[in-house]
Every structure is written in C-alpha cells, then in structure tokens.
Amino acid sequence: MQPDSVRQDLCNYMKDTKALKDFLVTSRKIAIITHANPDADALGSALGLFHFLKEAGHEVYPIVPNSYPKFLDWMPGNQEVIAFEDETAYASNLLANSDLLFCLDFSGFNRVKEMSDAAAGAPAKIALVDHHLNPEIKPDFNFWNDKATATAELVFDLILELSGRGAVSKEIAECLYAGIMTDTGSFKHPNTSSKVHRIVADLIDLGANVNKVSRLIYDTNSLNKLKFLGYSLAEKLQVCEKYQLAYFVITKRDFKKFDLEQGDTEGLVNYALSIKGIVIAAIIIERAGEIKLSFRSVGDYAVNTFAEKYFQGGGHKNAAGGNSGQSLKETEKVFIELIKQNILKTKI
Ligand code: 5GP
Ligand code: MN
C-alpha cells in the first residue's frame, strides 16, 4: 500500500486525470512522441503507454525523432515505432491528424530536434508526462512531476489512476521497468526513492522479468563496444584532480575506428565519475553537424544549470547534456575554462 504522503503527491500532479479520462471515453487517434536519441526511459514509457492505450481501443502511433540504440530493440512494440527522420511525410501526417499528442520524457519542443515544427504545430490536444525541470510546453493535460525518478514511473501512476492495476500487462511492466532501472542508474542514483522500489516491486508482481530486462539492456555489448571502452579508459580519459573533474573527448575518427553505433558511448561518462575524488564528469562527442556534451556530477554540483547556461541544454541536477556549434577543440577549451571559473566560485 502506498503511504499517505505518496497519495497526496499523486493527487497534486494527477489532477488532470479526470479530464483525460473523459477525453478518452471516445476512441481517439493518438501520437506518442519522445525526445531525440530516445533512451530506455523515453522508449519504455512510450511503448508502455502505447500498449495501454491500444488495449483501451485507441489508434496509437509511437513516434520518435530519430533511431535509437539496438539494445532497446527487444522492447515489446518496437516494430510499431516510427522514426520521424526515416518516415518524415508519414509521421508529419500522423502528427497533423491526431486528436491527442502525448509528450513523454521531455518538456520543450526543442528536444525533439527535426520533429519540432511538426510537433509544436500539431493541432492535437497535448498531454505532458515528464520529469525534467523547467517545463516549457503548456499542455492541456499535465502529468509533469520533477520528483519522479523516471517518466516510466509517471506513466505507471497514470495507468493506475486511469484504469487500475489490471490494465498493466507483462509487456507494459517490462517496458516501464526498463525505464525506471536505467533512469535510476540501476537503483543507485540519489533519486531512488522508496516509492520507486514499491513501484518496481509491483511491476515484478505484474510480470516484469528483472534478470531478462537487465541482461537485454546491459549485457548485449558488441565486442567493438568493449574494445572502445578499453581504449577510451586507457587513452582518452582526462583527469583534472584540481577541479575534481574527469572527462572524455570522443572524435568521429574514434567512431570509425571501432565501427561504433549510436548508443555505444552511452554509460562511458559514468566511468569518469567512478574515480575516487571526482565530482564532475563529462563526455564531449563529435557528431555530424554538432558537438554533443553530457555531464554527470555528485552532490551539489548542478550540471543542469551549467548545461543550460553555457551549452543550450538542460536535464537534471546530477545528469545533464547540451551541445555546441564550435569545433571539438574549441568546445573542449571553452568547457575547461568554464569549469575552472565555476568551480572557483564554490559550487556550479
Ligand atoms: P545524456 O547525457 O544521457 O544524454 O542526458 C542526461 C540528461 O540530460 C537526460 O535527462 C537528458 O534528457 C538531458 N539532456 C541531455 N542533452 C540535453 C540537451 O541538449 N538539452 C536538454 N534540455 N536536456 C538534455
Ligand atoms: Mn527520463
């Protein structure tokens, strides 16, 4: 049973449930969209919600801006996902003709990159289900809560509020479990609340196979990816003890050398943060047309405000990202300079 404090919290951010329920009395055409480069929380939430809404009799289309890493292919419903970059005309048409647009795991249309015009211009009503700070989207149905560890947690709450536990199939349970497991860093991040453990216990009771999901997400590395990890740790890791900083700079050449796929750099930044005494970690990646930065921190070092202020990004206090239009070398230089300036001013 959920304690009163949790029930109270639920009442606050689930206040639009009744209105959404009324809207869903009629069979609707629904698009579910996620941020670009979807991760397990974005995709797991989208597919969990997809199964639920489909089962409830709606016409549902999960749409992602671009493709996602292979280690997420196993998710039930994966074959239904439409990548906007590959099927632009079809996806645009769906967005333009939906009754309802679910925005999952992001709260500003700039996060959907090339899909932003089509999504922001869609005439559909908007339901926002997200846990990122400073939401920009003004939804018709709002299920935003920055205290949630994962969007999957919010989707679980929403399904329970709309239809109860009986509506959570094994497929839904496994999609949502994957989102919560990854967004909590396997239940290690500071956001790992007792509520999360209660939800996960529920998801297990509802059929989620913990070992299967964990193996599918974490233990399906390619040999190339592991060799790249070894190379990055041996050759690429920069440590600035003075600033309690460790970071990687990954070039296009590295991608080519190890024949890397999208997603193969995921998790690398955590190795930098695992060094004793390091409180800020970063990875700077050279991508086609942009430089992507990911930041991680421990304690009071708020990397989201850092990412927002200097790299047009955002995220959570201890995990954030952004990008830069400058060259790789220039970006690294600027980054180090900014770290120096900010560290010297106590906390970022
Ligand atoms: P990652 O470093 O794993 O890509 O992202 C870490 C966190 O920061 C995620 O919650 C992600 O949503 C957020 N994030 C990453 N890149 C960006 C960005 O460019 N803009 C914003 N607003 N958030 C980002
Ligand atoms: Mn998330």
Side-chain angles (χ1 to χ4, degrees), residues 229-306:
L229 170 63
Y231 161 78
S232 300
L233 293 174
E235 315 266 338
K236 295 252 138 180
L237 182 59
Q238 306 279 333
V239 179
C240 313
E241 279 175 27
K242 190 175 168 195
Y243 304 116
Q244 296 176 281
L245 165 75
Y247 68 98
F248 299 95
V249 178
I250 306 299
T251 63
K252 276 192 206 156
R253 270 185 69 189
D254 297 327
F255 265 81
K256 219 166 162 188
K257 185 170 170 188
F258 290 92
D259 197 17
L260 295 183
E261 291 180 1
Q262 197 204 333
D264 280 350
T265 51
E266 206 145 305
L268 186 57
V269 66
N270 297 319
Y271 286 93
L273 197 64
S274 73
I275 301 167
K276 192 173 177 189
I278 295 302
V279 296
I280 300 179
I283 180 166
I284 307 175
I285 303 172
E286 187 180 23
R287 286 215 186 124
E290 68 161 13
I291 306 295
K292 171 82 192 152
L293 299 102
S294 280
F295 309 113
R296 297 291 184 273
S297 67
V298 285
D300 287 340
Y301 293 88
V303 281
N304 54 347
T305 45
F306 181 76

Side-chain angles (χ1 to χ4, degrees), residues 30-33 43 46-47 50 60-64 77 80-83:
I30 302 172
I32 302 174
I33 65 173
L43 195 68
L47 288 176
F50 163 79
V60 197
Y61 300 93
I63 305 173
V64 295
E80 307 278 343
V81 178
I82 300 155

Side-chain angles (χ1 to χ4, degrees), residues 35 39 105 110-111 113 132 292-296 311-316 319-323:
H35 56 76
D39 57 11
D105 205 36
N110 60 332
R111 296 293 324 281
K113 296 274 163 90
H132 289 89
K292 171 82 192 152
L293 299 102
S294 280
F295 309 113
R296 297 291 184 273
F311 295 103
Q312 309 146 54
H316 310 281
N323 53 73

Side-chain angles (χ1 to χ4, degrees), residues 35 39 41-42 45 105 130-132 149-152 179 183 316:
H35 56 76
D39 57 11
D41 188 31
S45 298
D105 205 36
D130 182 44
H131 65 139
H132 289 89
T149 55
T151 296
D183 261 27
H316 310 281

Side-chain angles (χ1 to χ4, degrees), residues 59-72:
E59 194 181 329
V60 197
Y61 300 93
I63 305 173
V64 295
N66 56 355
S67 57
Y68 44 83
K70 278 216 179 71
F71 66 82
L72 298 177

Side-chain angles (χ1 to χ4, degrees), residues 48 51 74 76 165-178 203-210 212-213:
H51 290 297
W74 61 271
R165 266 178 121 254
V168 184
S169 62
K170 178 181 164 65
E171 284 72 29
I172 294 176
E174 293 196 334
C175 289
L176 300 183
Y177 181 82
L203 292 175
I204 295 170
D205 287 344
L206 289 161
N209 182 331
V210 170
K212 180 185 103 182
V213 174

